Amino acid sequence: MKTWITRSAFLAAMALGLGGTPAWAEGSGTFRYAEQVKLITMDPQKQSGSGVPFLRPAYESLFEKGPKGDYVPLLATGYKVDGLDVTITLRQGVTFSNGEPFNAEAAAKNINRGVELGIVEGLKTVASASAADEYTLKIKLKEPDPAIIDSLCLTGGMMIAPGAMDDPALDRNPVGTGPYIHSKTESREGEVQVYTPNPTYWDKDKIGLARYEVLEIPDDTARLNALKTGQIDGGNWLANPQSAIIDRTPGLKLIRGTGGLNYHIIISDREGTVIPAFADVNVRKAMAYAIDRTAFGKAVQFGLAVDSYQPYGEGHWAYDPALEGVYAYDVDKAREYMAKSKFPDGFSFDMPSIPLYQSRLEALAGFFKEIGITMNIAPQEPGTLARVSRTTAYPATNLVWQTNTDPKFLALRYIYENANYNPFKAKPSEELLALAKAGLESVETDVRAPIYKKMAARLADEAFLIFVASSPILIGVSEKTASNPTVVYRYGEDSINLRGLKAN
Amino acid sequence: MLKLVSRRLLALVPLLFIVSVLTFSFTSLLPSDPVDLIIGDTGTQEQYEVVRERLGLNQPVILRYIQWLGRAVQGDLGTSFFNSVSVADAVMQRLPVTLSLTLVSALIAVAVGTAAGIAAALRPRSWVDRLATVGATIGQAIPNFWFGLLLVAVFAVNMRWFPATGFTPISASPWEWLRSVTLPAIALGLSSSAAIARQVRSAMVGVLQQDYIRAARAQGLSSRRVILKHALTNAMVPVVAVLSFQITVLLGGSLIVEQVFSINGLGTLAITAVRQQDIPMIQGLVLVMVGLVVMVQLATDIVYGFLNPKARPS
């Protein structure tokens, strides 16, 4: 259980793939990145969704992910997890952009604030944090959490200057240790956030730009036009017609990042309280076999998604190639399973939908119709699907799962009796429960991978989570950006690593 | 005139009150919930309740409205549910953008519409007239967002004459401002120019047949003087009424055009606020838009009075 990792700054840089880049003292040029979502907050501990590219210039996390998803110390230098105790050693000589020193006391204050706010999912297992000495941070967990370091790679580990925490406008005045500082005077609310080099940055050689801009362009076509005309150097996209255009336009390139969104169906009423047929595993398997995932990916996700049979994507440590094609489209087999079930004549049920998922559900309804199941699509207001899915209003729902999320969250989301998306409080099978528990007993991915592979296989067997298609993280870039050797895409994130980034 | 202005401004007070009541009531009836967006997919029911309480959404609508009204009469329109940005700041920051866009598109609409209308009226039933009529019909039929996309594809993406997206404030660079506002203003002004062209044509045809025009021509006045000074002045009276309506149409149309060109004006703010159910922001925006429409109508009445002394308020 005990793991002690201490890496030098040099090794950290090497692991990030930046070791070979030349050093420079001052940045030059501008890099412009377009975000598909509007900026909501620049307070990392109040961030609950997209928008991390707005935070990365100003904030650094304790760890970040290397090219293969491994944990690389950034503001930390090492960690040790021993049961419920996590010890993190911190980098010395770092200051926040407002001049405050970065030390264990500041880090503890950050973690405790995150716990108190309760918005960052990754900090929900943390009881409290304290400073053991000036550069040693102690975190006490409420329960074993093998993903705690993973969480500290993201917003949960981003460090805010303690003096800035009392600023009611912190969401627009970020103060961190990052290579760039937010320029409020040059930024235009709702349009562009401007960042300039941080003169107090601890690793000045990694400041490669004189100016970094994050533009808010939520309209996909407008973002595409901005990329085509060189107004932006890159931007993020979902699998939609515009990203498909980028993929086939000479002079532009669509980067497929590790991680992404896995679209899946959740049979919430798997004990058959409202829809008795859902309690029959044969019915659920029939539904899984009835979906032509390849046609779905081509027609609904513009050829940018891959067929999915498990929660993790290729490249993830828990991904199991053996599960590929486990429910490959086979309508005859689907009919056989329906015939074997207690509901051979089919049944009907209601499925909530938001406009974004309407075409997906229409395609799925067509597949289910082939085996006698009528899925009625019930439109919901945008933004309400998650809440509706947490209630018993519908016997099934459809959501996306971020494939780079630690697998422990699968149980918290869907498996446990009190899981967020188990509104009917269905009791999990003994096998799933045991696997979920076993997955928490080690921090080592080598140890955890076989456990979560078994869990994915078990989930496939129980078929109450029906995975349909997985679209990767998509970043559209210009030809110049594509050939810029300093551009490093963050693992599992829709942003570019700014440390060492130079203008095209 | 002063009486008219003060009367209109006073009438604005009950109007804004009624509008604010309606907006508050309608937004509270919507099934979506801003708290869902704030806590995200991973939020729990406990968090949901905490955030609802923090935002005051657990209180009755009437109480919330009274609290909001109490602050609003003191000039405080509140703060966004989603961040620390004050509604007044957000609106005031975007107002010049939308006004720029509306003003330039109104100028384009007036210039193009008036020129086309005069040209058509001078030679009724000629090919010029038919061309103007067909152009006006097409102009009114084409959706402005589609026309905008077309303009971007040709003049921004292919020719690179104009930026495809964004807006540059006039204070930053007048030239870049003009470049950034030209395509969206053309897209927005197209249908209004068509409406104005039709109005100018029919008004001019009528005026040009009046006796005083014949008398002016008989006195040896130049054709240019007769048309621009005598005929157009009178023909513009009904056009001003149409223009007032068209400006309010342009304000509404900017909601869509701003999206196409990724311009951060009131339209973009409104769409974001509605999507997020950001009630304070929606309230503030509606009040400002109502205020703008009233101001446009007031300005129209004043101009109308100058053009037609008989219509001046006593």
Side-chain angles (χ1 to χ4, degrees), chain A residues 311-312 327 410 414-415 432 454-465 467:
Chain A
Y312 332 114
Y327 284 118
L410 269 175
Y414 304 120
I415 296 173
L432 270 182
K454 276 185 198 162
M455 182 190 270
R458 183 71 204 175
L459 283 172
D461 202 39
E462 295 188 16
F464 64 84
L465 295 181
F467 296 96

Side-chain angles (χ1 to χ4, degrees), chain B:
Chain B
M1 191 62 71
L2 198 66
K3 212 170 174 182
L4 170 76
V5 175
S6 12
R7 215 166 47 212
R8 283 297 177 84
L9 290 177
L10 275 176
L12 193 58
V13 177
L15 181 66
L16 289 178
F17 174 73
I18 293 166
V19 168
S20 70
V21 171
L22 290 176
T23 316
F24 220 93
S25 315
F26 289 151
T27 47
S28 63
L29 288 174
L30 289 172
S32 55
D33 192 334
V35 181
D36 286 324
L37 285 168
I38 293 169
I39 64 172
D41 285 5
T42 59
T44 60
Q45 195 57 33
E46 293 77 40
Q47 272 178 289
Y48 178 82
E49 299 301 336
V50 167
V51 176
R52 261 186 88 77
E53 196 176 334
R54 180 166 59 80
L55 298 179
L57 291 170
N58 55 340
Q59 293 175 335
V61 181
I62 294 173
L63 188 64
R64 278 195 281 140
Y65 177 72
I66 292 169
Q67 286 172 348
W68 175 85
L69 191 64
R71 288 193 301 268
V73 293
Q74 297 172 55
D76 176 10
L77 290 175
T79 305
S80 162
F81 275 167
F82 290 81
N83 47 51
S84 64
V85 176
S86 87
V87 172
D89 285 351
V91 170
M92 292 315 291
Q93 196 182 26
R94 287 157 176 89
L95 190 59
V97 179
T98 299
L99 286 183
S100 276
L101 182 56
T102 308
L103 193 70
V104 177
S105 50
L107 286 174
I108 289 171
V110 170
V112 174
T114 308
I118 293 173
L122 289 177
R123 292 178 186 81
R125 288 186 288 279
S126 68
W127 67 269
V128 179
D129 186 17
R130 286 178 211 286
L131 190 70
T133 307
V134 170
T137 308
I138 293 171
Q140 283 190 301
I142 292 177
N144 54 21
F145 73 89
W146 182 84
F147 188 52
L149 288 171
L150 206 68
L151 290 174
V152 171
V154 176
F155 297 105
V157 175
N158 286 331
M159 296 184 172
R160 307 281 171 108
W161 289 355
F162 299 96
T165 61
F167 175 85
T168 306
I170 196 166
S171 54
S173 162
W175 173 242
E176 285 305 318
W177 168 79
L178 191 63
R179 286 186 73 230
S180 70
V181 86
T182 301
L183 293 185
I186 291 172
L188 190 56
L190 177 74
S191 63
S192 291
S193 66
I196 291 169
R198 279 168 172 263
Q199 192 64 43
V200 169
R201 187 215 174 259
S202 59
M204 279 292 277
V205 166
V207 168
L208 287 171
Q209 287 167 0
Q210 296 287 315
D211 290 343
Y212 72 91
I213 297 294
R214 270 199 290 275
R217 281 190 169 135
Q219 283 173 355
L221 292 178
S222 69
S223 185
R224 189 176 167 177
R225 192 174 164 85
V226 169
I227 292 162
L228 295 180
K229 186 164 190 314
H230 297 281
L232 189 60
T233 311
N234 287 303
M236 284 307 277
V237 175
V239 174
V240 169
V242 174
L243 185 61
S244 159
F245 172 70
Q246 287 302 322
I247 288 177
T248 55
V249 169
L250 291 175
L251 275 171
S254 66
L255 263 73
I256 306 297
V257 171
E258 284 178 12
Q259 288 289 303
V260 172
F261 290 89
S262 191
I263 289 176
N264 191 35
L266 292 177
T268 310
L269 184 65
I271 288 173
T272 309
V274 169
R275 277 187 183 155
Q276 294 179 333
Q277 282 286 289
D278 195 346
I279 296 168
M281 198 62 83
I282 295 172
Q283 279 286 94
L285 274 164
V286 170
L287 294 186
V288 169
M289 291 299 254
V290 168
L292 278 177
V293 170
V294 170
M295 292 302 160
V296 167
Q297 285 173 346
L298 178 62
T300 308
D301 284 353
I302 293 168
V303 174
Y304 205 79
F306 276 116
L307 288 172
N308 183 6
K310 286 181 194 165
R312 275 178 204 167
S314 55

Side-chain angles (χ1 to χ4, degrees), chain A residues 480-493:
Chain A
K480 283 181 183 172
T481 305
S483 57
N484 181 340
T486 66
V487 172
V488 177
Y489 304 98
R490 284 184 178 277
Y491 178 93
E493 268 185 39

Side-chain angles (χ1 to χ4, degrees), chain A residues 64-76:
Chain A
E64 59 183 354
K65 289 188 182 172
K68 292 187 175 171
D70 47 324
Y71 307 137
V72 178
L74 186 59
L75 287 179

Side-chain angles (χ1 to χ4, degrees), chain A residues 337-399:
Chain A
Y337 271 102
M338 280 302 281
K340 266 200 288 189
S341 77
K342 293 172 195 158
F343 305 88
D345 300 328
F347 61 96
S348 68
F349 71 99
D350 295 338
M351 173 69 90
S353 168
I354 49 172
L356 184 64
Y357 295 164
Q358 186 70 18
S359 57
R360 301 180 185 197
L361 289 171
E362 282 168 3
L364 292 175
F367 296 137
F368 296 150
K369 194 82 190 160
E370 292 289 307
I371 56 170
I373 299 174
T374 304
M375 184 172 83
N376 306 309
I377 300 170
Q380 308 293 309
E381 281 292 314
T384 61
L385 185 61
R387 177 161 56 90
V388 164
S389 303
R390 290 194 292 264
T391 71
T392 54
Y394 292 95
T397 189
N398 60 123
L399 292 169

